[in-house]
Amino acid sequence: MRVAIVTVGDELLVGDTVNTNAAWLGEQLDRRGVAVARVTVLPDDVADIARVVNEYRASYDAVIVTGGLGPTHDDMTMEGVAAAFGRELAASDEVLEWLETDGYAASDLADGTTEIPHGARMLENPEGVAPGCVIGSVYVLPGVPGEMKAMFETVADEFAGQRQFTESVVVAEPESSLIDRFERIREEFDVTVGSYPGENVRVKLRGPDEETVAQAAEWLRERVEAPEPESETEPES
């Protein structure tokens, strides 16, 4: 299963808010063996949301959109998603019933609170008032992290793929010097290789078979220079 994540909000683009939602969703999906193929940040703009959602729903098994839900002036996500499907927003009796069960009266709700794309499946918000929805293969979740996480858990079982196993090897050599061994390890084992330079280089090996990944990690450890162990400082007498 390949998924695209779309996070919506002007505040994300200018750095006022750190995009923790994308990181959290990526981690959750990875644990389920789902490949995250795209992470995109969009402004609060109906046309941009509609264009990207329409493109991604044609290219990936599912699209998760977070942020921009609610009845305020800058909450454009529901309208943008509806436009991607050529539909209108419509007041949902199901949303109203859920809110009334939660203790809200219709007269207490701002205009637009119960609107979701026509024909969409409503998703309850365990931590807030703004509902989410599913339309086709597109899942629309809130942007508030606590609300987003709680709502994702209600649909998490709808995301599944082949589990991947990983092992990391820390190497005290320049990344450029490891290219030949990266090529050989890919030839020898069914793994992907990622390298992340810093004080040392962290090499991440990943594959569908746990034993193969472990063997690849051991093969690499035998052919690279490991960092020197940190020595304990002797206390002064």
Side-chain angles (χ1 to χ4, degrees):
M1 186 177 194
R2 299 176 73 238
V3 172
I5 298 172
V6 178
T7 56
V8 178
D10 294 339
E11 70 280 5
L12 299 173
L13 290 167
V14 299
D16 285 343
T17 300
V18 177
N19 193 0
T20 59
N21 283 353
W24 187 87
L25 283 168
E27 181 181 16
Q28 298 303 309
L29 293 167
D30 183 66
R31 289 178 179 176
R32 291 168 171 79
V34 175
V36 178
R38 287 287 185 277
V39 175
T40 300
V41 183
L42 297 178
D44 295 298
D45 181 87
V46 171
D48 280 341
I49 296 167
R51 175 179 54 80
V52 171
V53 168
N54 196 42
E55 176 188 342
Y56 285 1
R57 74 187 181 92
S59 302
Y60 304 107
D61 298 308
V63 182
I64 300 177
V65 185
T66 75
L69 300 193
T72 59
H73 71 283
D74 60 349
D75 291 324
M76 305 292 185
T77 298
M78 284 295 189
E79 186 178 352
V81 171
F85 285 84
R87 303 189 188 184
E88 300 291 333
L89 292 178
S92 166
D93 292 337
E94 187 181 11
V95 172
L96 180 58
E97 181 180 353
W98 160 63
L99 289 169
E100 288 178 335
T101 301
D102 234 24
Y104 295 92
S107 58
D108 298 330
L109 302 173
D111 291 343
T113 300
T114 66
E115 292 183 351
I116 60 176
H118 181 71
R121 166 165 57 109
M122 183 267 290
L123 295 179
E124 294 184 5
N125 186 338
E127 300 292 336
V129 176
C133 74
V134 182
I135 178 169
S137 59
V138 178
Y139 293 72
V140 184
L141 311 180
V144 178
E147 296 182 21
M148 183 276 297
K149 293 175 182 179
M151 189 178 291
F152 176 77
E153 293 299 340
T154 69
V155 295
D157 289 344
E158 298 177 26
F159 296 87
Q162 184 178 38
R163 184 180 177 187
Q164 297 289 308
F165 298 90
T166 63
E167 282 213 30
S168 293
V169 178
V170 180
V171 182
E173 298 179 39
E175 187 179 27
S176 59
S177 71
L178 299 170
I179 294 174
D180 61 330
R181 278 156 288 180
F182 291 166
E183 291 176 350
R184 288 178 59 194
I185 200 170
R186 284 193 291 260
E187 292 171 357
E188 295 283 341
F189 303 94
D190 180 20
V191 296
T192 60
V193 182
S195 59
Y196 309 94
E199 182 177 351
N200 295 296
V201 176
R202 181 172 66 89
V203 180
K204 183 177 179 180
L205 305 174
R206 180 179 172 88
D209 182 74
E210 187 174 17
E211 183 177 352
T212 298
V213 173
Q215 291 173 349
E218 185 60 30
W219 183 95
L220 184 62
R221 289 189 185 99
E222 293 174 353
R223 291 164 175 81
V224 296
E225 180 181 339
E228 292 290 336
E230 294 184 7
S231 58
E232 296 185 4
T233 304
E234 291 292 334
E236 295 182 4
S237 56

